[in-house]
Amino acid sequence: MFGDTLKLTIAGIVGRAIFLIFWIILGNSIGAEGLGVLANFTSILMLMTVFSTFGMDFWLSRYITNHGLSSQEFLRIILMKTLLAIIAVALFWSLLSAGIVGSILRPYKLESLIICIVLFVDNIGFTCVPILEARQKLKKLALLVLIRWVALGGIGSFLILLNGSVMTAVIAYLIAAVIRACVGFIMARKLMVSKTSGLKSSELLPQAGSMALVNFVTFLFFTIDLLMLPELTDELQTGLYKAAHTPVEALLFLSAGVAATLYPLFSKNNLDLKIKGEQLVTGRRLLLFIAFPIAFGLIVISEPFLSWMYWQRIDEFSVAAPALMILGWVIPAMFINDCLTRLLLGVYRQKVVLVMLSIVLVVNIIINLLLIPTLGHMG
């Protein structure tokens, strides 16, 4: 298992590096304001994705570990996600038209439409991931992760160099979503059982409901800054924050790889809780060993690092260096939180996760309301 975990981690390293290059090229091409617009787009896409998946992916990983999944059940899940995606899209357009969210996105109607199409396609790719996780096919999962980032970072970077614009970046997201959905389905199809596992559609949403709420609060916690910044300041401040946040975001694959490996283990009903706790401690030590040097390094090199990233717009992006220094110290806590959350979800402690994240989210919103209007991206 260690070898497969290493491969998954390496795939994440390579993929995230390509993703980082994509955002670097994008920032140098469209500037901080354009970066702010795209960051707002991707944050809203993430929230709509979480709503449309309704916690089913986390729940499915736990379910498939113990029962398996047939192709008919897979299609029923995709249908349910599609119906939820329609609701999410309708809600997004209503809020956008009413001026409640996406104040900087209103001039980008066509781009908004493409982002909504990405949502529907992504649901297929995302549904394949828990199947690979639950069956411990980490090599295939690593390949799928790598393909996704190569498609987005490689093809996207090429398109941005040809024509740097928000529209080009949005099209790159669509291309990557289509490729991941196709490859992911081919991989997952071979792992589906021939007979139905007993999954009932009428029970799926209620059973996944608590997981859905946890998932939504989790992703809202990670995206709330990029959602609030455009409404409290402007696209420039949003872009500066995104410039600082991108390197930190790219490093989160390290904890994600370990957590993805441990989650099926945490989800096994017949495994003693003591063994699960021991695995958590092992994973935590490994992540802390990695996280603290990274956090310290970001403090030392934050300004030259951003100057290197955005060499064509040094004066524009250099002011984001203090924000990167602060975000660097969040990495150890985020690493540990990832593994701890997976353990609690695996042993059916969704309420604990929900309460924990909700408290932090509310505190973060209050602090943002107090600081962002005066401090901008530094708030």
Side-chain angles (χ1 to χ4, degrees):
M1 180 178 291
F2 176 78
D4 291 343
T5 303
L6 181 61
K7 291 177 181 178
L8 181 59
T9 302
I10 293 174
I13 293 174
V14 176
R16 288 289 181 168
I18 296 173
F19 176 68
L20 182 60
I21 293 172
F22 169 69
W23 278 94
I24 291 173
I25 294 173
L26 190 63
N28 282 289
S29 179
I30 64 178
E33 291 187 1
L35 211 62
V37 172
L38 187 61
N40 201 215
F41 263 130
T42 55
S43 298
I44 291 176
L45 172 63
M46 185 179 295
L47 281 181
M48 289 196 297
T49 300
V50 172
F51 178 83
S52 64
T53 57
F54 203 74
M56 283 184 271
D57 293 339
F58 271 121
W59 186 87
L60 275 174
S61 183
R62 188 168 63 191
Y63 178 86
I64 297 170
T65 298
N66 298 290
H67 303 287
L69 192 75
S70 70
S71 57
Q72 292 180 345
E73 291 165 335
F74 177 85
L75 292 176
R76 289 210 309 268
I77 292 168
I78 295 299
L79 178 59
M80 284 188 287
K81 285 186 174 184
T82 300
L83 294 175
L84 289 169
I86 292 173
I87 297 174
V89 169
L91 181 61
F92 164 64
W93 280 99
S94 299
L95 295 175
L96 183 66
S97 301
I100 298 175
V101 298
S103 60
I104 64 176
L105 304 182
R106 292 182 197 111
Y108 300 90
K109 298 296 184 181
L110 183 55
E111 289 87 345
S112 298
L113 177 61
I114 295 175
I115 282 294
C116 292
I117 296 174
V118 172
L119 170 67
F120 290 97
V121 179
D122 260 344
N123 276 334
I124 300 174
F126 280 127
T127 308
C128 297
V129 171
I131 298 176
L132 298 175
E133 277 188 359
R135 293 305 184 190
Q136 289 290 285
K137 300 298 182 180
L138 299 184
K139 292 180 182 178
K140 291 185 177 181
L141 182 58
L143 180 60
L144 184 61
V145 168
L146 191 58
I147 289 173
R148 187 268 176 109
W149 293 122
V150 168
L152 178 59
I155 298 175
S157 297
F158 176 75
L159 294 176
I160 289 294
L161 289 173
L162 291 178
N163 179 29
S165 66
V166 174
M167 170 61 80
T168 304
V170 169
I171 291 174
Y173 270 88
L174 178 59
I175 294 173
V178 171
I179 292 175
R180 177 171 62 173
C182 294
V183 176
F185 179 74
I186 293 172
M187 291 180 174
R189 179 69 182 84
K190 299 177 180 179
L191 301 175
M192 297 179 194
V193 297
S194 56
K195 296 182 180 180
T196 59
S197 64
L199 178 67
K200 297 180 180 180
S201 301
S202 58
E203 298 178 357
L204 177 57
L205 291 182
Q207 290 176 351
S210 59
M211 197 76 78
L213 191 55
V214 170
N215 217 12
F216 186 81
V217 173
T218 300
F219 277 92
L220 188 59
F221 168 74
F222 282 108
T223 60
I224 191 63
D225 298 330
L226 290 170
L227 291 172
M228 294 182 69
L229 271 164
E231 311 306 323
L232 297 176
T233 55
D234 53 29
E235 54 265 57
L236 175 61
Q237 295 299 317
T238 307
L240 292 174
Y241 180 83
K242 179 61 178 178
H245 187 264
T246 297
V248 176
E249 183 182 15
L251 291 168
L252 294 182
F253 72 88
L254 292 169
S255 61
V258 175
T261 305
L262 292 176
Y263 187 59
L265 179 68
F266 294 156
S267 301
K268 288 184 178 180
N269 298 329
N270 58 351
L271 191 64
D272 188 82
L273 184 61
K274 182 180 179 181
I275 297 177
K276 296 179 181 180
E278 291 173 351
Q279 293 296 320
L280 174 66
V281 171
T282 301
R284 183 183 63 186
R285 288 174 179 171
L286 173 63
L287 290 173
L288 286 177
F289 179 78
I290 299 172
F292 278 109
I294 293 175
F296 180 76
L298 285 177
I299 292 179
V300 176
I301 66 168
S302 59
E303 188 169 351
F305 183 66
L306 284 177
S307 298
W308 169 78
M309 286 178 62
Y310 305 105
W311 69 92
Q312 293 182 349
R313 297 174 182 263
I314 294 177
D315 293 337
E316 186 176 356
F317 284 103
S318 60
V319 294
L324 177 58
M325 293 173 60
I326 296 172
L327 289 172
W329 282 113
V330 179
I331 292 177
M334 295 176 75
F335 276 19
I336 299 305
N337 179 69
D338 204 353
C339 278
L340 179 60
T341 298
R342 294 289 184 118
L343 172 63
L344 292 172
L345 293 177
V347 297
Y348 302 89
R349 295 295 188 270
Q350 294 95 319
K351 291 183 179 179
V352 177
V353 177
L354 181 60
V355 171
M356 178 177 64
L357 291 175
S358 297
I359 293 173
V360 178
L361 176 62
V362 171
V363 172
N364 192 19
I365 291 174
I366 294 174
I367 295 175
N368 281 347
L369 290 172
L370 294 174
L371 298 182
I372 289 178
T374 55
L375 297 178
H377 72 281
M378 283 297 297

